[in-house]
Coordinates of all heavy atoms in Angstrom, one line a residue:
M1170 N 0.9 -1.2 0.1 CA 0.1 0.0 0.0 C 0.9 1.3 0.0 O 0.5 2.3 -0.5 CB -0.9 0.0 1.3 CG -2.0 1.1 1.2 SD -3.2 0.8 -0.1 CE -4.4 0.0 0.8
E1171 N 2.0 1.1 0.7 CA 3.0 2.3 0.7 C 3.4 2.7 -0.7 O 3.7 3.8 -1.0 CB 4.1 2.0 1.7 CG 4.9 3.2 2.1 CD 5.8 2.9 3.2 OE1 5.5 2.0 4.0 OE2 6.9 3.4 3.1
I1172 N 3.8 1.6 -1.5 CA 4.4 1.9 -2.9 C 3.2 2.7 -3.6 O 3.4 3.6 -4.3 CB 4.7 0.6 -3.5 CG1 5.8 0.0 -2.8 CG2 5.0 0.9 -5.0 CD1 6.2 -1.4 -3.3
L1173 N 1.9 2.3 -3.6 CA 0.9 3.0 -4.3 C 0.7 4.3 -3.8 O 0.5 5.3 -4.6 CB -0.5 2.2 -4.1 CG -1.8 2.7 -4.7 CD1 -1.6 2.9 -6.2 CD2 -2.9 1.9 -4.3
Q1174 N 0.8 4.6 -2.5 CA 0.7 6.0 -2.0 C 1.9 6.8 -2.5 O 1.7 8.0 -2.9 CB 0.8 5.9 -0.4 CG -0.5 5.4 0.1 CD -0.4 5.4 1.7 OE1 0.6 5.4 2.2 NE2 -1.6 5.2 2.2
N1175 N 3.1 6.3 -2.7 CA 4.2 7.0 -3.2 C 4.0 7.3 -4.6 O 4.4 8.5 -5.2 CB 5.5 6.3 -2.9 CG 5.9 6.2 -1.5 OD1 5.5 7.1 -0.8 ND2 6.7 5.2 -1.1
V1176 N 3.5 6.4 -5.4 CA 3.3 6.5 -6.8 C 2.2 7.7 -7.0 O 2.3 8.5 -7.8 CB 2.8 5.3 -7.5 CG1 2.3 5.6 -8.9 CG2 4.1 4.2 -7.5
L1177 N 1.1 7.6 -6.4 CA 0.1 8.6 -6.3 C 0.5 10.0 -6.0 O 0.1 11.0 -6.6 CB -1.1 8.1 -5.5 CG -2.0 7.0 -5.9 CD1 -3.1 6.6 -5.0 CD2 -2.7 7.4 -7.2
L1178 N 1.4 10.1 -4.9 CA 2.0 11.3 -4.5 C 2.8 11.9 -5.6 O 2.8 13.1 -5.8 CB 2.8 11.2 -3.2 CG 3.1 12.4 -2.4 CD1 1.8 13.1 -2.1 CD2 3.9 12.0 -1.2
A1179 N 3.7 11.0 -6.2 CA 4.5 11.6 -7.3 C 3.6 12.0 -8.5 O 3.9 13.1 -9.2 CB 5.3 10.4 -7.9
I1180 N 2.5 11.3 -8.8 CA 1.6 11.8 -9.9 C 0.9 13.1 -9.4 O 0.8 14.0 -10.3 CB 0.4 10.8 -10.2 CG1 1.1 9.5 -10.8 CG2 -0.7 11.3 -11.0 CD1 0.1 8.3 -10.8
I1181 N 0.6 13.4 -8.2 CA -0.1 14.5 -7.8 C 1.0 15.7 -8.0 O 0.6 16.8 -8.5 CB -0.5 14.5 -6.2 CG1 -1.7 13.5 -6.3 CG2 -0.8 15.8 -5.7 CD1 -2.1 13.1 -4.7
V1182 N 2.2 15.5 -7.5 CA 3.2 16.6 -7.8 C 3.4 17.0 -9.1 O 3.4 18.0 -9.6 CB 4.5 16.1 -7.1 CG1 5.6 17.1 -7.4 CG2 4.3 16.0 -5.6
L1183 N 3.6 15.8 -10.1 CA 3.9 16.1 -11.4 C 2.6 16.8 -12.1 O 2.9 17.8 -12.9 CB 4.1 14.8 -12.2 CG 5.6 14.1 -11.8 CD1 5.7 12.8 -12.5 CD2 6.7 15.1 -12.2
T1184 N 1.4 16.4 -11.9 CA 0.3 17.0 -12.5 C 0.0 18.4 -11.9 O -0.5 19.2 -12.7 CB -1.0 16.2 -12.4 OG1 -1.2 15.9 -10.9 CG2 -0.9 14.9 -13.1
S1185 N 0.5 18.6 -10.7 CA 0.3 20.0 -10.1 C 1.2 21.0 -10.9 O 0.8 22.1 -11.4 CB 0.7 20.1 -8.8 OG -0.1 19.3 -7.8
L1186 N 2.5 20.6 -11.0 CA 3.4 21.5 -11.7 C 3.0 21.6 -13.3 O 3.1 22.7 -13.8 CB 4.7 20.9 -11.8 CG 5.5 20.8 -10.4 CD1 6.9 20.0 -10.3 CD2 5.6 22.2 -9.9
L1187 N 2.5 20.5 -13.9 CA 2.1 20.5 -15.3 C 0.8 21.5 -15.5 O 0.7 22.2 -16.4 CB 1.8 19.1 -15.8 CG 1.5 19.0 -17.3 CD1 2.6 19.6 -18.3 CD2 1.1 17.6 -17.7
A1188 N -0.1 21.4 -14.5 CA -1.3 22.2 -14.5 C -0.9 23.7 -14.4 O -1.4 24.5 -15.2 CB -2.2 21.7 -13.4
V1189 N -0.1 24.1 -13.6 CA 0.3 25.4 -13.5 C 1.0 25.9 -14.8 O 0.6 27.0 -15.3 CB 1.4 25.6 -12.4 CG1 2.0 27.1 -12.4 CG2 0.7 25.4 -11.0
L1190 N 1.9 25.2 -15.4 CA 2.4 25.5 -16.7 C 1.4 25.7 -17.8 O 1.4 26.6 -18.5 CB 3.5 24.5 -17.1 CG 4.2 24.7 -18.4 CD1 5.1 25.7 -18.4 CD2 4.9 23.4 -18.8
L1191 N 0.5 24.6 -17.8 CA -0.5 24.7 -18.8 C -1.5 25.9 -18.7 O -2.0 26.6 -19.6 CB -1.3 23.4 -18.9 CG -0.5 22.3 -19.4 CD1 -1.3 20.9 -19.3 CD2 -0.1 22.4 -20.9
V1192 N -1.8 26.3 -17.5 CA -2.7 27.3 -17.3 C -2.0 28.7 -17.7 O -2.6 29.5 -18.3 CB -3.1 27.4 -15.8 CG1 -3.7 28.7 -15.4 CG2 -4.1 26.2 -15.4
L1193 N -0.7 28.7 -17.4 CA 0.0 30.0 -17.8 C 0.1 30.1 -19.3 O 0.2 31.1 -19.8 CB 1.3 29.9 -17.2 CG 1.4 30.4 -15.7 CD1 2.8 30.2 -15.2 CD2 0.8 31.7 -15.4
L1194 N 0.1 29.0 -20.1 CA 0.2 28.9 -21.5 C -1.1 29.2 -22.2 O -1.1 29.6 -23.3 CB 0.8 27.5 -22.0 CG 2.3 27.4 -21.7 CD1 2.6 25.9 -22.3 CD2 3.1 28.3 -22.5
N1195 N -2.2 28.9 -21.5 CA -3.5 29.3 -22.1 C -3.7 30.7 -22.6 O -3.1 31.6 -21.9 CB -4.7 28.8 -21.2 CG -5.0 27.3 -21.4 OD1 -5.2 26.9 -22.4 ND2 -4.9 26.6 -20.2
K1196 N -4.4 30.9 -23.6 CA -4.7 32.2 -24.0 C -5.5 32.9 -23.0 O -6.6 32.5 -22.7 CB -5.3 32.2 -25.4 CG -5.7 33.6 -25.9 CD -6.5 33.4 -27.3 CE -6.7 34.8 -27.9 NZ -7.4 34.6 -29.1
G1197 N -5.1 34.1 -22.6 CA -5.8 34.9 -21.5 C -7.0 35.6 -22.2 O -6.9 36.1 -23.4
K1198 N -8.1 35.9 -21.5 CA -9.2 36.6 -22.0 C -9.0 38.0 -21.9 O -9.4 38.9 -22.7 CB -10.5 36.2 -21.3 CG -10.7 34.7 -21.3 CD -11.8 34.5 -22.4 CE -12.3 33.0 -22.2 NZ -11.9 32.3 -23.3
G1199 N -8.1 38.4 -20.9 CA -8.0 39.9 -20.7 C -6.5 40.2 -20.2 O -6.2 41.2 -19.6
G1200 N -5.6 39.5 -20.7 CA -4.2 39.7 -20.5 C -3.8 39.0 -19.2 O -4.2 37.9 -18.9
G1201 N -3.1 39.7 -18.2 CA -2.7 39.0 -17.0 C -1.5 38.1 -17.3 O -0.6 38.4 -17.8
L1202 N -1.5 37.1 -16.2 CA -0.3 36.3 -16.2 C -0.1 35.5 -17.4 O 1.1 35.2 -17.8 CB -0.5 35.3 -15.0 CG -0.4 35.9 -13.7 CD1 -0.7 34.8 -12.6 CD2 0.9 36.5 -13.4
S1203 N -1.0 35.1 -18.2 CA -0.8 34.3 -19.4 C 0.0 35.2 -20.4 O 0.8 34.6 -21.1 CB -2.1 33.9 -20.0 OG -2.9 34.9 -20.4
D1204 N -0.3 36.4 -20.6 CA 0.5 37.3 -21.4 C 1.8 37.6 -20.9 O 2.8 37.7 -21.6 CB -0.3 38.6 -21.6 CG -1.5 38.4 -22.6 OD1 -1.5 37.3 -23.1 OD2 -2.4 39.2 -22.5
M1205 N 2.0 37.8 -19.6 CA 3.2 38.1 -19.0 C 4.2 37.0 -19.1 O 5.3 37.2 -19.5 CB 3.0 38.4 -17.4 CG 4.2 39.0 -16.8 SD 4.1 39.3 -15.0 CE 2.4 40.0 -14.8
F1206 N 3.8 35.7 -18.7 CA 4.8 34.7 -18.7 C 4.8 33.8 -20.0 O 5.8 33.3 -20.4 CB 4.5 33.8 -17.5 CG 4.7 34.4 -16.3 CD1 3.7 34.7 -15.4 CD2 6.1 34.7 -15.8 CE1 4.0 35.2 -14.2 CE2 6.3 35.3 -14.7 CZ 5.3 35.6 -13.8
G1207 N 3.6 33.6 -20.6 CA 3.6 32.7 -21.6 C 3.2 33.4 -23.0 O 2.9 32.7 -24.0
G1208 N 3.3 34.7 -23.0 CA 3.0 35.5 -24.1 C 3.8 35.2 -25.4 O 3.3 35.0 -26.5
G1209 N 5.1 35.0 -25.3 CA 5.9 34.7 -26.4 C 5.7 33.3 -27.0 O 5.9 33.1 -28.0
M1210 N 5.4 32.5 -26.0 CA 5.3 31.1 -26.4 C 4.0 30.9 -27.2 O 3.8 30.0 -28.0 CB 5.4 30.1 -25.4 CG 6.8 30.0 -24.8 SD 7.0 28.8 -23.4 CE 6.9 27.3 -24.3
T1211 N 2.9 31.6 -26.7 CA 1.6 31.3 -27.2 C 1.3 32.1 -28.6 O 0.3 32.1 -29.1 CB 0.5 31.5 -26.3 OG1 0.6 33.0 -25.7 CG2 0.6 30.8 -25.1
Q1212 N 2.2 33.0 -28.9 CA 1.9 33.8 -30.1 C 1.8 32.9 -31.3 O 0.9 33.1 -32.2 CB 3.1 34.7 -30.4 CG 3.3 35.9 -29.4 CD 2.1 36.7 -29.5 OE1 1.5 37.0 -30.4 NE2 1.8 37.4 -28.3
S1213 N 2.5 31.9 -31.5 CA 2.4 31.0 -32.6 C 1.1 30.0 -32.3 O 0.4 29.7 -33.4 CB 3.7 30.1 -32.8 OG 3.9 29.4 -31.5
L1214 N 0.8 29.8 -31.1 CA -0.4 28.9 -30.9 C -1.6 29.7 -31.1 O -2.7 29.0 -31.4 CB -0.4 28.3 -29.4 CG 0.8 27.4 -29.0 CD1 0.7 27.1 -27.6 CD2 0.6 26.2 -29.9
N1215 N -1.6 31.0 -31.0 CA -2.8 31.7 -31.1 C -3.4 31.8 -32.5 O -4.5 32.2 -32.8 CB -2.6 33.2 -30.6 CG -2.6 33.3 -29.2 OD1 -3.1 32.3 -28.5 ND2 -2.0 34.3 -28.6
T1216 N -2.4 31.5 -33.5 CA -2.7 31.5 -34.9 C -3.7 30.3 -35.3 O -4.4 30.4 -36.2 CB -1.5 31.6 -35.8 OG1 -0.8 30.4 -35.6 CG2 -0.7 32.8 -35.5
S1217 N -3.5 29.3 -34.5 CA -4.4 28.1 -34.8 C -5.4 27.8 -33.8 O -5.1 27.6 -32.6 CB -3.4 26.9 -34.9 OG -4.1 25.7 -35.1
G1218 N -6.6 27.7 -34.1 CA -7.7 27.4 -33.3 C -7.6 26.0 -32.8 O -8.1 25.6 -31.6
V1219 N -7.1 25.0 -33.6 CA -7.0 23.7 -33.2 C -6.0 23.6 -32.1 O -6.1 22.8 -31.1 CB -6.5 22.9 -34.4 CG1 -6.2 21.4 -34.1 CG2 -7.7 22.9 -35.5
A1220 N -4.8 24.3 -32.2 CA -3.8 24.2 -31.1 C -4.3 24.6 -29.8 O -4.0 24.2 -28.8 CB -2.6 25.0 -31.6
Q1221 N -5.1 25.8 -29.9 CA -5.7 26.3 -28.7 C -6.7 25.3 -28.0 O -6.7 25.2 -26.8 CB -6.4 27.7 -28.9 CG -6.9 28.3 -27.7 CD -5.8 28.7 -26.6 OE1 -4.7 29.0 -27.0 NE2 -6.2 28.6 -25.4
K1222 N -7.4 24.7 -28.8 CA -8.4 23.7 -28.3 C -7.7 22.6 -27.8 O -8.1 22.0 -26.6 CB -9.3 23.2 -29.5 CG -10.4 24.2 -29.9 CD -11.3 23.7 -30.9 CE -12.3 24.7 -31.5 NZ -13.2 24.2 -32.5
N1223 N -6.6 22.1 -28.4 CA -5.9 21.0 -27.8 C -5.2 21.3 -26.5 O -5.1 20.6 -25.5 CB -4.8 20.5 -28.9 CG -5.4 19.8 -30.0 OD1 -6.6 19.3 -29.9 ND2 -4.7 19.7 -31.1
L1224 N -4.7 22.6 -26.4 CA -4.1 23.1 -25.1 C -5.2 23.1 -24.0 O -4.9 22.7 -22.9 CB -3.5 24.3 -25.3 CG -2.7 25.1 -24.1 CD1 -1.6 24.1 -23.8 CD2 -2.2 26.4 -24.6
V1225 N -6.3 23.5 -24.3 CA -7.4 23.5 -23.3 C -7.8 22.1 -22.9 O -8.0 21.8 -21.8 CB -8.7 24.3 -23.8 CG1 -9.9 24.1 -23.0 CG2 -8.4 25.7 -24.0
R1226 N -7.9 21.2 -23.9 CA -8.2 19.8 -23.6 C -7.0 19.2 -22.7 O -7.3 18.4 -21.8 CB -8.3 19.0 -24.8 CG -9.6 19.2 -25.6 CD -9.6 18.4 -26.8 NE -10.8 18.9 -27.6 CZ -10.8 18.9 -29.0 NH1 -9.8 18.5 -29.7 NH2 -11.8 19.3 -29.6
L1227 N -5.8 19.4 -22.9 CA -4.7 18.9 -22.2 C -4.8 19.5 -20.8 O -4.5 18.8 -19.7 CB -3.4 19.2 -22.9 CG -2.2 18.7 -22.3 CD1 -2.2 17.2 -22.2 CD2 -0.9 19.2 -23.0
T1228 N -5.1 20.8 -20.7 CA -5.2 21.4 -19.3 C -6.3 20.7 -18.5 O -6.1 20.4 -17.3 CB -5.4 22.8 -19.4 OG1 -4.4 23.5 -20.3 CG2 -5.5 23.6 -18.1
T1229 N -7.4 20.5 -19.1 CA -8.5 19.9 -18.5 C -8.3 18.5 -18.1 O -8.5 18.1 -17.0 CB -9.8 19.9 -19.4 OG1 -10.0 21.3 -19.8 CG2 -11.0 19.3 -18.7
T1230 N -7.7 17.7 -19.1 CA -7.2 16.3 -18.8 C -6.3 16.3 -17.6 O -6.5 15.5 -16.6 CB -6.6 15.6 -19.9 OG1 -7.6 15.8 -21.0 CG2 -6.3 14.2 -19.7
T1231 N -5.4 17.2 -17.5 CA -4.4 17.3 -16.4 C -5.2 17.6 -15.1 O -4.8 16.9 -13.9 CB -3.4 18.3 -16.7 OG1 -2.7 18.0 -17.9 CG2 -2.4 18.3 -15.5
A1232 N -6.1 18.4 -15.2 CA -6.8 18.6 -13.9 C -7.6 17.5 -13.4 O -7.7 17.2 -12.2 CB -7.7 20.0 -14.2
V1233 N -8.2 16.8 -14.3 CA -9.1 15.6 -13.9 C -8.1 14.5 -13.3 O -8.4 14.0 -12.3 CB -9.8 15.2 -15.2 CG1 -10.5 13.8 -14.9 CG2 -11.0 16.2 -15.5
V1234 N -7.1 14.3 -13.9 CA -6.0 13.3 -13.5 C -5.6 13.7 -12.0 O -5.4 12.9 -11.2 CB -4.9 13.1 -14.4 CG1 -3.8 12.2 -13.8 CG2 -5.3 12.5 -15.7
W1235 N -5.3 15.0 -11.9 CA -4.9 15.5 -10.6 C -6.1 15.4 -9.5 O -5.7 14.8 -8.5 CB -4.6 17.1 -10.8 CG -4.1 17.8 -9.5 CD1 -3.0 17.8 -8.8 CD2 -5.1 18.6 -8.6 NE1 -3.0 18.5 -7.7 CE2 -4.3 19.1 -7.6 CE3 -6.3 19.0 -8.8 CZ2 -4.8 20.0 -6.7 CZ3 -6.9 19.8 -7.8 CH2 -6.1 20.3 -6.8
A1236 N -7.2 15.6 -9.8 CA -8.3 15.4 -8.8 C -8.5 13.9 -8.5 O -8.7 13.5 -7.4 CB -9.5 16.1 -9.4
L1237 N -8.5 13.1 -9.6 CA -8.7 11.7 -9.3 C -7.5 11.0 -8.6 O -7.7 10.2 -7.7 CB -8.8 10.9 -10.6 CG -10.1 11.2 -11.5 CD1 -10.0 10.5 -12.8 CD2 -11.3 10.8 -10.6
S1238 N -6.3 11.6 -8.8 CA -5.1 11.1 -8.0 C -5.3 11.5 -6.5 O -4.9 10.7 -5.6 CB -3.8 11.7 -8.5 OG -3.6 11.4 -9.9
I1239 N -5.7 12.7 -6.3 CA -5.9 13.2 -4.9 C -7.1 12.3 -4.3 O -6.9 11.9 -3.0 CB -6.2 14.7 -4.8 CG1 -5.1 15.5 -5.2 CG2 -6.8 15.0 -3.5 CD1 -5.3 16.9 -5.1
A1240 N -8.1 12.0 -5.0 CA -9.1 11.1 -4.4 C -8.6 9.8 -4.0 O -8.9 9.2 -3.0 CB -10.3 11.1 -5.4
A1241 N -7.9 9.2 -5.0 CA -7.3 7.9 -4.8 C -6.3 7.8 -3.6 O -6.3 7.0 -2.8 CB -6.6 7.3 -6.0
Y1242 N -5.5 8.9 -3.5 CA -4.6 8.9 -2.4 C -5.4 9.2 -1.0 O -4.9 8.5 -0.1 CB -3.6 10.2 -2.5 CG -2.5 10.3 -1.5 CD1 -1.4 9.5 -1.6 CD2 -2.7 11.4 -0.5 CE1 -0.4 9.6 -0.6 CE2 -1.7 11.4 0.4 CZ -0.5 10.6 0.4 OH 0.4 10.6 1.3
A1243 N -6.3 9.8 -1.0 CA -7.1 9.9 0.3 C -7.8 8.6 0.6 O -7.8 8.2 1.8 CB -8.3 11.0 0.0
L1244 N -8.1 7.8 -0.4 CA -8.7 6.6 -0.1 C -7.8 5.5 0.4 O -8.0 4.8 1.3 CB -9.5 5.8 -1.5 CG -10.8 6.6 -1.8 CD1 -11.3 6.1 -3.1 CD2 -11.9 6.3 -0.7
T1245 N -6.5 5.5 -0.2 CA -5.4 4.7 0.4 C -5.1 5.1 1.7 O -4.7 4.3 2.6 CB -4.3 4.8 -0.6 OG1 -3.7 6.0 -0.7 CG2 -4.6 4.3 -2.0
M1246 N -5.1 6.4 2.0 CA -4.9 6.9 3.5 C -5.9 6.4 4.4 O -5.6 6.0 5.5 CB -4.7 8.3 3.5 CG -3.6 9.0 2.7 SD -2.0 8.6 3.5 CE -2.0 9.5 4.9
R1247 N -7.1 6.4 3.9 CA -8.3 6.0 4.8 C -8.2 4.5 5.1 O -8.6 4.0 6.2 CB -9.6 6.4 4.0 CG -10.8 5.9 4.7 CD -11.2 6.6 5.9 NE -12.5 6.3 6.5 CZ -12.7 5.3 7.3 NH1 -11.8 4.6 7.7 NH2 -14.0 5.1 7.8
F1248 N -7.9 3.8 4.0 CA -8.1 2.3 4.2 C -6.8 1.6 4.4 O -6.7 0.4 4.5 CB -8.8 1.6 3.0 CG -10.2 2.0 2.9 CD1 -10.6 2.9 1.9 CD2 -11.2 1.7 3.9 CE1 -12.0 3.3 1.8 CE2 -12.4 2.1 3.7 CZ -12.8 2.9 2.7
A1249 N -5.7 2.3 4.7 CA -4.4 1.7 5.0 C -4.4 1.1 6.4 O -5.1 1.7 7.3 CB -3.3 2.8 4.8
E1250 N -3.8 0.1 6.6 CA -3.8 -0.5 7.9 C -2.7 0.2 8.7 O -1.7 0.6 8.4 CB -3.1 -2.0 7.7 CG -4.1 -3.0 7.1 CD -3.6 -4.3 7.1 OE1 -2.9 -4.7 7.9 OE2 -3.9 -5.0 6.1
V1251 N -3.2 0.4 9.9 CA -2.4 1.2 10.9 C -1.5 0.3 11.7 O -2.1 -0.6 12.4 CB -3.3 2.1 11.9 CG1 -2.4 2.8 12.8 CG2 -4.1 3.0 11.0
A1252 N -0.2 0.4 11.5 CA 0.7 -0.5 12.3 C 0.8 0.2 13.8 O 1.0 1.3 13.9 CB 2.0 -0.5 11.6
V1253 N 0.7 -0.8 14.7 CA 0.7 -0.4 16.2 C 2.1 -0.7 16.6 O 2.9 -1.3 16.4 CB -0.3 -1.1 17.0 CG1 -0.1 -0.8 18.4 CG2 -1.7 -0.8 16.3

């Protein structure tokens, strides 16, 4: 059970970092952080609607995997045997 918890914790950390990066890369509606940090990288992505849709899908998928990993980690913590 401890190995599963460690794997889930690694997935949570990786998806957290990836989610932050992807959110910053998304096209901003009114400027802000996406223009400040990811503006140079997204200039080429803004020309294609398909690329922007794929970036949004990847961001959403990452957020779902992150949430499911947290739920699975919580379940493993709840049902783990307590060593006395």
Side-chain angles (χ1 to χ4, degrees):
M1170 190 68 93
E1171 194 172 323
I1172 294 173
L1173 178 61
Q1174 288 176 344
N1175 289 337
V1176 169
L1177 287 170
L1178 196 56
I1180 292 171
I1181 291 169
V1182 169
L1183 290 175
T1184 54
S1185 297
L1186 295 173
L1187 185 61
V1189 169
L1190 177 69
L1191 290 173
V1192 165
L1193 288 175
L1194 285 176
N1195 273 305
K1196 181 178 179 183
K1198 301 261 191 252
L1202 289 177
S1203 63
D1204 289 339
M1205 187 186 319
F1206 293 114
M1210 294 182 71
T1211 58
Q1212 290 297 332
S1213 61
L1214 292 177
N1215 287 341
T1216 59
S1217 173
V1219 175
Q1221 183 63 35
K1222 285 181 185 178
N1223 287 338
L1224 186 60
V1225 169
R1226 287 182 188 142
L1227 185 60
T1228 305
T1229 305
T1230 304
T1231 302
V1233 168
V1234 168
W1235 177 78
L1237 291 175
S1238 299
I1239 289 176
Y1242 185 75
L1244 286 173
T1245 60
M1246 294 291 289
R1247 170 71 170 92
F1248 294 113
E1250 292 183 29
V1251 178
V1253 177

